Amino acid sequence: MPWIVSLIVALGVVLAAPACAQTYPSKPIHILIPYAPGGIADIAARILGAKLTEAWGQQVVVENKPGGNGFIAMTAAAKAAPDGYTLVMATGGDVAINPALFKDMPYDVERDLAPIAMVSDAPLVLAVHGAAPYKSVAEVLAAAKAQPGRLSVATPGNGSINQIVLEWMALNTDTKFQHIPYKGGAPASAALAGGDIPFGVLASSSVAPHVKGGRIRVLAVTMARRSKLSPEWPTLREEGVKEVDASNWTALFAPKATPQPIIDKLNAEVMKILNEADVKDRFAGGGVDTIPSSAAELDARVKQEEQRFRAIIQKANIRPD
């Protein structure tokens, strides 16, 4: 009878999943990175990959597949066999911004990807050139209101989390800025440090060398909590911009149909690794926090941010490069 065959198949899947998790991993694991080496996703994957290799005795291979706004690596992960041997270290931009920014996507986060765990979190900062007259966020906002659309602000590009934070702040405070998109965080930070532009919304890691030299001053971080990198930097909320809370984070995902026992095994090991003191120190050296989480917590954050960012993108008419 057909129903008996279906029942046998279903029971086989249920019984096979725990056994699969017990033997997993039995061969090398590949972690895809949507960006070039050296970025937050690449660093997170390499730190985590080395620890997973050490814990499980199977090599973890980090593969950089940059290009196409992250679409190349994300699509490759979405279409990979759901067996736990192909994962992707995504950023919030890949899973929460891109779906709100692009009308046609080659992957669907909810349909194609299974969340495993949050990994790292890095603050963005509001910063000014060292010789700029602005001593606080309030002074920047006052200057923007005095001459709407005249105060130039550097970000790493159109559609970046940095631009979203800028437009979110503008909407929140009824101000207008002149957005100047650069081709990445390094050139944007260099322009700010060189005095080519007075103000920027940038990654803490990209401004850190210039802050030490006095060429850039940080006015605030964009997260709701202060950064461990420099606890003396106030938050935007402390500076009176109440709603803005955003950061540059990374998280690990698998293809959607990956068996739950494998997801659970990966999550448990990632959580253990991220709580190790030496791992926390390695991330902290780059101004990054580890943020171990459950798969459900990651899923909730992706959905919340996608909804929030979609509203800002639409209101501010943000367009990708």
Side-chain angles (χ1 to χ4, degrees), residues 31 42-62 269 273 276 278-279 282:
I31 301 180
D42 179 72
I43 292 170
R46 292 183 188 280
I47 293 175
L48 198 64
K51 284 289 185 175
L52 287 171
T53 297
E54 181 182 314
W56 287 345
Q58 288 290 345
Q59 185 180 9
V60 175
V61 181
V62 175
E269 194 63 40
I273 290 169
E276 293 179 7
D278 65 318
V279 172
R282 289 183 67 185

Side-chain angles (χ1 to χ4, degrees), residues 2 13 23 37 40 45 90 112 153-154 161 163 165 169 222 229 241 290 295 316:
V13 171
T23 59
I40 60 168
D112 298 331
V153 185
I161 181 63
Q163 187 193 5
V165 166
M169 182 175 69
T222 64
L229 176 65
V241 184
T290 57

Side-chain angles (χ1 to χ4, degrees), residues 4-321:
I4 294 178
V5 173
S6 299
L7 179 60
I8 291 172
V9 171
L11 285 172
V13 171
V14 171
L15 294 173
C20 179
Q22 288 174 7
T23 59
Y24 174 86
S26 58
K27 63 181 182 179
I29 299 170
H30 292 251
I31 301 180
L32 308 184
I33 312 297
Y35 306 98
I40 60 168
D42 179 72
I43 292 170
R46 292 183 188 280
I47 293 175
L48 198 64
K51 284 289 185 175
L52 287 171
T53 297
E54 181 182 314
W56 287 345
Q58 288 290 345
Q59 185 180 9
V60 175
V61 181
V62 175
E63 294 185 30
N64 298 90
K65 290 181 174 291
N69 297 295
F71 289 175
I72 295 174
M74 296 302 296
T75 303
K79 293 181 177 180
D83 54 10
Y85 291 101
T86 299
L87 311 174
V88 62
M89 186 68 74
T91 68
D94 300 310
V95 294
I97 294 177
N98 279 355
L101 192 62
F102 294 94
K103 292 182 178 179
D104 297 313
M105 292 260 294
Y107 64 94
D108 183 282
V109 175
E110 187 168 0
R111 181 194 66 209
D112 298 331
L113 297 170
I116 297 172
M118 299 286 296
V119 176
S120 69
D121 204 9
L124 301 178
V125 298
L126 274 66
V128 295
H129 176 59
Y134 317 113
K135 305 299 182 184
S136 67
V137 173
E139 291 183 8
V140 169
L141 295 176
K145 287 183 177 180
Q147 293 184 305
R150 296 290 299 277
L151 182 60
S152 298
V153 185
T155 78
N158 288 317
S160 62
I161 181 63
N162 310 64
Q163 187 193 5
I164 288 174
V165 166
L166 174 65
E167 300 297 351
W168 192 356
M169 182 175 69
L171 290 167
N172 185 272
T173 58
D174 193 27
T175 52
K176 290 185 178 181
F177 297 92
Q178 177 63 47
H179 176 226
I180 307 297
Y182 285 79
K183 296 295 184 181
S189 297
L192 182 62
D196 298 331
I197 197 163
F199 185 47
V201 181
L202 302 164
S204 57
S205 57
S206 67
V207 303
H210 304 295
V211 170
K212 291 179 181 177
R215 294 180 298 277
I216 288 179
R217 285 185 288 110
V218 172
L219 301 183
V221 296
T222 64
M223 299 192 302
R225 67 181 187 279
R226 291 199 177 199
S227 169
K228 293 180 181 178
L229 176 65
S230 293
E232 71 275 13
W233 294 342
T235 67
L236 266 180
R237 291 185 175 186
E238 291 173 324
E239 291 290 292
V241 184
K242 299 299 182 184
E243 293 182 7
V244 179
D245 178 14
S247 59
N248 208 354
W249 52 267
T250 67
L252 197 62
F253 291 81
K256 185 65 173 183
T258 301
Q260 190 61 44
I262 290 180
I263 297 291
D264 293 341
K265 187 171 185 177
L266 280 162
N267 176 270
E269 194 63 40
V270 170
M271 294 268 283
K272 178 182 175 182
I273 290 169
L274 294 180
N275 280 308
E276 293 179 7
D278 65 318
V279 172
K280 289 183 177 182
D281 289 343
R282 289 183 67 185
F283 276 101
V288 180
D289 295 336
T290 57
I291 47 171
S293 71
S294 68
E297 288 170 332
L298 169 56
D299 186 52
R301 180 163 184 174
V302 170
K303 290 176 180 175
Q304 180 188 54
E305 290 199 358
E306 193 273 340
Q307 184 178 23
R308 180 187 296 162
F309 293 156
R310 185 178 296 277
I312 297 166
I313 287 167
Q314 291 175 348
K315 288 179 182 178
N317 195 31
I318 295 173
R319 294 288 182 267
D321 286 324

